[in-house]
Amino acid sequence: FYIQVVRYPFYSKVASQQHVVSTEIMPKRGAIFDRNMRVLAINLNSDSVFANPYFVKDKRKAARSLAPILKESESYISQRLSKDKGFVWLKRKITPQQSEAIKALKLDGIEIVKESKRYYPNQSMACHVLGTVDIDNTGLEGLESYYNKYLKGEAGWIIGTQDAKRKVLESYQDQYIPSKNGLNLVLTIDEVIQHIAERELKKMYEKYHAKGASIMVMDPRNGDVLALANLPNYDLNDLSIRPADALRNRAINDFFEPGSVFKIVAASAALEEKAVDLADTFYCEYGEWHVGSRILHDHKPHGTLTFKEVIELSSNIGTAKVASRFGAEKMYEYMKAFGFYEKTGIDLPGEVAGMNRPVSKWSKVSMLAIPMGHEVTTTVAQLACAISAIANDGVMVRPRIVKEIVDDDGRVVKEFPVKTGRRVLSSDTAFKMRSLLMGVVQQGTGKKAKIEEYNVGGKTGTAQKIEPDGTYSHGKFVGSFIGFAPVEKPALAVVVCIDESRVVYYGGDVAAPVFRYVVDESLKYMNAKGTIVGQRL
């Protein structure tokens, strides 16, 4: 009577804990596809090994046998097998070879279970875009983190009865709640263009032993990011060998002084405000202009240049004199209009906006430095949006990297519409800027960006980096090129930045060739119509 009636609640609970078990059913994480439904990330079945220490008869022997297979220390395995638990992980997501070797041992209390493991078929491709997951398939970085709530799915449960050896008896399942698989991301990234961009960037990065490099390829008409890559990179399938300097997405996490590529802002402002005409002339002081206590230099000495030549030949002195015609307030206004005081809104974690001061905090010499890209900071993503505004008839576009979210049957669950931003320039000014930047490539500093079958426009940049003591370095530079093609109807806008290349560092030498090969192959892949080089707009 005492056991069955008085102590019934206690013994009933003990019995339930011994025989009733709830097993979590993990969902399949959603896949990630490129714009043409090529797989970029997917989940595959993988074996994991666990132990029930209560049933391991000879723990020392088991540890000695398992340690070399699992590539763990014998002391670690022994410590796991000594736990007073009925379930302990020994190692999760092991290789098929490891699994077969463990099964061959036929050790009591050692079991293999199927789990789901994230797999990236292209290894390092788009690693900073895709990001990583942890051992439980929870997103940690990149899109895996940003869209984790869509990708991860919902776990299910089986509540059933187990025997004395803790084996679930399928005929005694009391409740079954199925798991819900994660949803799939369809990106704007094009795997082919991504491959081209990464290949060409790597060539230049390795050739000149650069510290880092970034490239971003956008469709200027709608903001679709067709490729985004950084170096150094890493293998998404093997994070154990990932170097520390490969962790961040430089294109959105790093800001830097852009140098002469920023002259597109001063040039656009001058034309929009009708402060200059293309034929207006400026005396460029033969490369050395004394302004108070400041001396402004050009990389090559020039006498009198037209406004068109000032931009084509990238004269710092000429650009400063152009900017003096409209003043600091207008310069600040156009910097804001081009988006250099805000984040682009790209759907990737960790984007920064740079550190740019309001005009009230500019110094007396800021209008000498800012128009040529000093005393101002930007990111690769911001530059991509800025050059896209010129390519897109003066209208700013917001970058988009995810097109839609779909379920396993292909039904669209969520769409991400094109985000058209504000008008930055009039259509007429944008047209003049495209013509001006085409001249930079045809007869200016960007000749190494020239392509046989397409007219392209762009701007070179070479910026001195700032040393820890606040002075400009004489040995560390960021070489860049920003541009678009075809000029007549731009389908691509590209930004290339090479950080601290050795020996050769000018943007026209290290970044322009990368632009050339990426744009040439990408346009041919896209079947874009070409034009005769030099043909007038």
Side-chain angles (χ1 to χ4, degrees), residues 45 59 198 326 471:
N45 286 331
K59 293 180 171 58
E198 292 194 14
F326 55 80
T471 61

Side-chain angles (χ1 to χ4, degrees), residues 317-495:
I317 296 170
T319 302
K321 290 188 175 184
V322 168
S324 69
R325 290 198 178 183
F326 55 80
E329 290 290 344
K330 285 295 180 183
M331 187 71 201
Y332 171 72
E333 179 183 318
Y334 280 89
M335 287 168 62
K336 286 194 70 175
F338 271 103
F340 292 107
Y341 280 85
E342 62 187 9
K343 298 177 183 179
T344 67
I346 191 171
D347 38 349
L348 283 169
E351 184 184 15
V352 299
M355 295 176 62
N356 293 324
R357 299 166 295 158
V359 69
S360 60
K361 295 186 178 181
W362 290 7
S363 70
K364 293 181 180 179
V365 296
S366 289
M367 276 302 287
L368 295 178
I370 289 175
M372 67 178 192
H374 282 182
E375 286 191 27
V376 62
T377 62
T378 182
T379 67
V380 168
Q382 286 176 325
L383 287 173
C385 290
I387 196 65
S388 290
I390 293 172
N392 191 39
D393 208 33
V395 178
M396 177 75 75
V397 293
R398 296 289 182 181
R400 181 178 71 149
I401 207 161
V402 177
K403 287 178 62 179
E404 57 193 14
I405 296 175
V406 300
D407 63 18
D408 285 340
D409 294 322
R411 291 188 294 264
V412 177
V413 176
K414 184 177 178 64
E415 290 185 289
F416 296 85
V418 173
K419 296 179 181 178
T420 302
R422 58 188 171 271
R423 176 168 284 281
V424 178
L425 304 171
S426 67
S427 179
D428 181 61
T429 298
F431 176 84
K432 290 178 180 178
M433 282 299 300
R434 291 195 297 275
S435 176
L436 191 64
L437 295 179
M438 184 169 72
V440 171
V441 174
Q442 291 181 354
Q443 57 259 356
T445 58
K447 291 177 182 177
K448 291 185 179 180
K450 191 182 295 185
I451 299 173
E452 290 184 6
E453 296 182 34
Y454 303 97
N455 278 325
V456 304
K459 184 71 190 76
T460 57
T462 307
Q464 292 171 280
K465 297 183 71 172
I466 298 177
E467 296 285 8
D469 63 3
T471 61
Y472 281 104
S473 172
H474 293 289
K476 299 176 182 178
F477 301 86
V478 176
S480 55
F481 188 89
I482 63 176
F484 49 84
V487 171
E488 299 76 15
K489 193 175 182 181
L492 294 177
V494 181
V495 176

Side-chain angles (χ1 to χ4, degrees), residues 6-15:
V6 177
R7 296 288 286 168
Y8 170 79
F10 170 76
Y11 288 117
S12 177
K13 183 178 180 181
V14 171

Side-chain angles (χ1 to χ4, degrees), residues 204 207-208 445 448 460 462 504-514:
M204 197 62 68
K207 180 178 181 179
Y208 293 113
T445 58
K448 291 185 179 180
T460 57
T462 307
V504 178
Y505 54 82
Y506 284 114
D509 294 320
V510 297
V514 177

Side-chain angles (χ1 to χ4, degrees), residues 16-163:
S16 178
Q17 289 175 340
Q18 287 179 340
H19 298 290
V20 178
V21 63
S22 59
T23 303
E24 186 177 15
I25 306 171
M26 297 305 297
K28 183 184 76 172
R29 188 171 178 83
I32 302 178
F33 300 97
D34 87 333
R35 65 188 300 112
N36 296 307
M37 300 307 291
R38 304 182 185 100
V39 176
L40 300 177
I42 198 169
N43 271 51
L44 301 176
N45 286 331
S46 179
D47 286 347
S48 291
V49 57
F50 69 93
N52 182 341
Y54 298 136
F55 292 98
V56 180
K57 297 175 181 178
D58 188 338
K59 293 180 171 58
R60 178 178 292 183
K61 179 182 177 182
R64 190 165 54 247
S65 300
L66 292 168
I69 298 173
L70 296 178
K71 296 181 180 178
E72 300 285 355
S73 67
E74 189 174 328
S75 61
Y76 170 78
I77 301 296
S78 294
Q79 181 262 332
R80 300 296 293 170
L81 295 178
S82 299
K83 291 200 176 278
D84 187 19
K85 292 183 177 180
F87 180 98
V88 291
W89 286 116
L90 296 182
K91 193 160 189 178
R92 299 176 66 184
K93 302 181 181 178
I94 59 179
T95 66
Q97 293 77 14
Q98 289 174 311
S99 180
E100 289 302 317
I102 292 170
K103 290 175 183 177
L105 294 175
K106 297 181 180 180
L107 296 172
D108 290 335
I110 306 299
E111 301 288 344
I112 301 291
V113 66
K114 290 288 184 184
E115 284 200 285
S116 185
K117 181 180 181 180
R118 201 61 160 169
Y119 177 68
Y120 304 90
N122 296 310
Q123 299 175 308
S124 63
M125 178 182 284
C127 59
H128 295 101
V129 173
L130 299 176
T132 59
V133 298
D134 64 13
I135 194 71
D136 293 312
N137 278 332
T138 299
L140 295 177
E141 300 168 6
L143 292 174
E144 295 278 25
S145 170
Y146 200 90
Y147 287 100
N148 185 63
K149 67 178 182 180
Y150 295 102
L151 290 164
K152 67 179 182 180
E154 296 179 17
W157 295 89
I158 295 177
I159 301 175
T161 303
Q162 64 181 5
D163 63 16

Side-chain angles (χ1 to χ4, degrees), residues 27-320:
K28 183 184 76 172
R29 188 171 178 83
I32 302 178
F33 300 97
D34 87 333
R35 65 188 300 112
N36 296 307
M37 300 307 291
R38 304 182 185 100
V39 176
L40 300 177
I42 198 169
N43 271 51
L44 301 176
N45 286 331
S46 179
D47 286 347
S48 291
V49 57
F50 69 93
N52 182 341
Y54 298 136
F55 292 98
V56 180
K57 297 175 181 178
D58 188 338
K59 293 180 171 58
R60 178 178 292 183
K61 179 182 177 182
R64 190 165 54 247
S65 300
L66 292 168
I69 298 173
L70 296 178
K71 296 181 180 178
E72 300 285 355
S73 67
E74 189 174 328
S75 61
Y76 170 78
I77 301 296
S78 294
Q79 181 262 332
R80 300 296 293 170
L81 295 178
S82 299
K83 291 200 176 278
D84 187 19
K85 292 183 177 180
F87 180 98
V88 291
W89 286 116
L90 296 182
K91 193 160 189 178
R92 299 176 66 184
K93 302 181 181 178
I94 59 179
T95 66
Q97 293 77 14
Q98 289 174 311
S99 180
E100 289 302 317
I102 292 170
K103 290 175 183 177
L105 294 175
K106 297 181 180 180
L107 296 172
D108 290 335
I110 306 299
E111 301 288 344
I112 301 291
V113 66
K114 290 288 184 184
E115 284 200 285
S116 185
K117 181 180 181 180
R118 201 61 160 169
Y119 177 68
Y120 304 90
N122 296 310
Q123 299 175 308
S124 63
M125 178 182 284
C127 59
H128 295 101
V129 173
L130 299 176
T132 59
V133 298
D134 64 13
I135 194 71
D136 293 312
N137 278 332
T138 299
L140 295 177
E141 300 168 6
L143 292 174
E144 295 278 25
S145 170
Y146 200 90
Y147 287 100
N148 185 63
K149 67 178 182 180
Y150 295 102
L151 290 164
K152 67 179 182 180
E154 296 179 17
W157 295 89
I158 295 177
I159 301 175
T161 303
Q162 64 181 5
D163 63 16
K165 290 190 175 182
R166 299 179 182 270
K167 181 180 179 181
V168 177
L169 306 175
E170 295 184 7
S171 59
Y172 286 88
Q173 289 181 4
D174 299 321
Q175 189 176 4
Y176 171 63
I177 303 172
S179 62
K180 293 182 180 179
N181 290 338
L183 298 170
N184 308 306
L185 298 186
V186 180
L187 309 187
T188 60
I189 294 289
D190 189 303
E191 185 186 75
V192 173
I193 297 177
Q194 180 75 27
H195 169 72
I196 295 168
E198 292 194 14
R199 183 193 67 206
E200 296 304 323
L201 189 70
K202 186 178 181 181
K203 286 180 183 178
M204 197 62 68
Y205 170 79
E206 292 180 343
K207 180 178 181 179
Y208 293 113
H209 306 285
K211 180 180 179 181
S214 297
I215 185 169
M216 188 165 172
V217 182
M218 268 177 59
D219 185 332
R221 300 164 294 188
N222 56 24
D224 281 0
V225 179
L226 303 175
L228 192 159
N230 303 278
L231 291 171
N233 58 7
Y234 59 93
D235 186 344
L236 287 162
N237 296 315
D238 188 0
L239 301 183
S240 65
I241 57 173
R242 183 168 66 163
D245 59 351
L247 296 178
R248 67 188 188 276
N249 186 343
R250 295 168 181 263
I252 63 168
N253 299 153
D254 288 9
F255 58 85
F256 53 93
E257 289 196 353
S260 293
V261 293
F262 201 73
K263 289 173 183 174
I264 63 169
V265 180
S268 296
L271 290 172
E272 185 75 2
E273 296 299 319
K274 295 181 170 50
V276 297
D277 288 323
L278 295 178
D280 285 358
T281 59
F282 297 86
Y283 180 57
C284 295
E285 311 287 341
Y286 288 99
E288 190 172 298
W289 187 28
H290 295 258
V291 185
S293 60
R294 180 85 177 257
I295 302 177
L296 193 61
H297 292 92
D298 276 340
H299 68 287
K300 288 183 179 180
H302 301 290
T304 299
L305 298 176
T306 64
F307 169 64
K308 184 172 182 292
E309 291 170 333
V310 164
I311 303 303
E312 289 177 352
L313 301 176
S314 200
S315 168
N316 295 331
I317 296 170
T319 302

